[in-house]
Amino acid sequence: MKQSIKPRPDLKKLEEGILKGDRVILGQAITLIESNLDTDQTAASVLLERILPFTGNSIRIGITGVPGVGKSTFIESFGKYITGQGKTLAVLTIDPTSPLTKGSILGDKTRMEVLSKDPRAFIRPTASSLTMGGVANKTREALLLCEAAGFNVIIVETVGVGQSEISVKNMVDFFLLLALAGAGDELQGMKKGILEIADALLVTKSDGDNIKASREAQAMYQQSFHVLPEQPSGWRPVALTSSALTGEGIEEVWKMISNFSRLVKESGYFAQNRNHQTISWFREYFKLLMESDLQKSKTVQLKRENLEQELVRLSIPPQEAARQLLDVYHQAIRESAT
């Protein structure tokens, strides 16, 4: 049986469709950059280079929080408010990956049913691919594609575990941390380090019998912000409360982010931070390419396996093992060049 050959992507069609804001074409482009095929990766690089001049004009918002805090519910309510202001919104959600199918487990179009039907909104669930912190490898590239498609606001939602907070902080302008009142996370789940990178904290589900506890938690978090060092942006983090059920606090969150955006643009921090993020993305991607290249060499892989066995037997220190592996990698590069 003759094996079918995958057709090459029409980059001109993808580019034109993205710049026109075509949602179907945008989805196809994101699928292309998520592909692990070498040919697709080459095509994706060309596409990203072409649309790069049309990026950088959106407000990038990162949203995270512990499971059960109501991230998707809040984003749907918040997103409807944003589109109600006449703006367009893209939501990139990084979901846990199924170990069986390698696909997204949660599926945010189901969790944000109302917002997903909004003509001004675009929702793209992405499996985390079991990467550290739950942040998909291609989230940054998808963000750039959404900017080129003309979206005014882009929200990146994470699983909310491990290193995801740091990863998202390094790709957005404003980082919003969601928390619950009376759930024990005031002192334990929300560590000082996470508070230090948050631009604001929002106590969710502030309605009914939970209003009093939410306001007490808000006051406690606000006090915590007061004792933290001043952020490089000059912005003082704020603690607010909200209810996706009643809509309380949703408008205040948007006004706060708008004020932040105006302040950091006037001070010059906005452009400075974007430049820093671009350099960080470059360095991280280079590390990924190095790791991928290293794994392609059978000689290097064999040496790595042997060194790992020596490490387990305590016959070599990790530092020396790493140096030996690097030497073998350099040798493999020299041999491939001849």
Side-chain angles (χ1 to χ4, degrees):
M1 184 176 178
K2 189 176 181 180
Q3 188 177 6
S4 60
I5 300 175
K6 183 180 177 180
R8 297 179 63 181
D10 188 336
L11 294 182
K12 184 175 179 59
K13 179 182 177 181
L14 289 175
E15 179 187 1
E16 292 177 348
I18 290 169
L19 298 181
K20 289 178 181 178
D22 188 311
R23 310 297 174 84
V24 175
I25 297 295
L26 175 59
Q28 293 173 354
I30 294 177
T31 298
L32 175 67
I33 66 171
E34 289 177 342
S35 171
N36 290 323
L37 294 176
D38 289 340
T39 53
D40 285 346
Q41 282 299 293
T42 300
S45 294
V46 175
L47 178 62
L48 287 168
E49 186 174 352
R50 290 182 181 180
I51 60 92
L52 202 57
F54 305 96
T55 64
N57 298 316
S58 67
I59 298 176
R60 305 170 182 173
I61 304 170
I63 296 180
T64 193
V66 296
V69 76
K71 291 190 292 292
S72 296
T73 305
F74 167 74
I75 291 173
E76 179 158 58
S77 181
F78 185 50
K80 288 296 294 180
Y81 178 84
I82 292 173
T83 59
Q85 302 303 302
K87 299 184 181 298
T88 52
L89 169 72
V91 181
L92 302 175
T93 65
I94 297 91
D95 278 347
T97 299
S98 166
L100 298 178
T101 66
K102 308 302 181 186
S104 171
I105 293 177
L106 301 179
D108 283 81
K109 286 194 176 181
T110 301
R111 292 186 284 151
M112 303 180 197
E113 187 174 357
V114 176
L115 187 60
S116 67
K117 297 176 182 177
D118 191 321
R120 288 183 171 274
F122 173 80
I123 301 175
R124 176 72 183 210
T126 306
S128 65
S129 302
L130 302 178
T131 55
M132 179 179 293
V135 177
N137 285 330
K138 304 301 180 181
T139 303
R140 295 185 180 94
E141 287 84 351
L143 188 153
L144 293 175
L145 291 175
C146 289
E147 284 193 332
F151 287 96
N152 305 125
V153 182
I154 300 176
I155 291 176
V156 180
E157 178 204 1
T158 76
V159 179
V161 292
Q163 287 291 109
S164 62
E165 291 85 2
I166 303 295
S167 299
V168 171
K169 174 71 173 179
N170 289 334
M171 70 175 75
V172 299
D173 305 311
F174 190 92
F175 182 68
L176 180 62
L177 178 61
L178 306 188
L180 289 169
D185 58 334
E186 291 97 334
L187 297 176
Q188 297 185 17
M190 297 299 170
K191 301 298 184 183
K192 179 183 176 183
I194 298 177
L195 289 178
E196 286 179 342
I197 66 172
D199 295 303
L201 182 143
L202 187 66
V203 181
T204 60
K205 304 182 181 180
S206 180
D207 45 55
D209 297 336
N210 203 36
I211 292 179
K212 183 175 183 293
S214 296
R215 290 176 178 171
E216 290 175 350
Q218 175 194 11
M220 185 204 66
Y221 283 123
Q222 191 63 62
Q223 184 62 35
S224 298
F225 282 137
H226 285 318
V227 300
L228 292 175
E230 184 177 352
Q231 293 192 352
S233 63
W235 170 261
R236 275 290 180 183
V238 180
L240 299 174
T241 63
S242 78
S243 168
L245 185 64
T246 65
E248 181 268 331
I250 300 298
E251 181 179 358
E252 286 72 18
V253 172
W254 177 245
K255 287 182 178 179
M256 172 185 61
I257 295 175
S258 299
N259 289 336
F260 170 89
S261 181
R262 182 173 60 255
L263 182 149
V264 295
K265 285 181 179 179
E266 290 175 354
S267 69
Y269 177 79
F270 181 87
Q272 177 186 342
N273 186 50
R274 284 283 182 97
N275 291 338
H276 173 74
Q277 289 178 344
T278 300
I279 297 300
S280 295
W281 295 1
F282 156 69
R283 291 174 178 174
E284 287 184 26
Y285 195 66
F286 181 71
K287 290 178 183 177
L288 285 174
L289 290 178
M290 287 286 289
E291 179 67 21
S292 176
D293 189 53
L294 187 146
Q295 292 177 359
K296 291 178 182 178
S297 170
K298 293 183 179 180
T299 301
V300 174
Q301 283 306 301
L302 180 60
K303 181 63 175 180
R304 170 187 269 179
E305 292 171 4
N306 292 335
L307 286 170
E308 287 174 351
Q309 292 176 11
E310 290 188 50
L311 286 167
V312 173
R313 294 195 298 267
L314 301 178
S315 58
I316 187 174
Q319 295 89 338
E320 177 58 27
R323 279 192 286 269
Q324 288 189 22
L325 185 62
L326 181 63
D327 289 340
V328 173
Y329 178 54
H330 284 165
Q331 181 61 33
I333 293 175
R334 286 191 291 268
E335 291 177 352
S336 65
T338 58

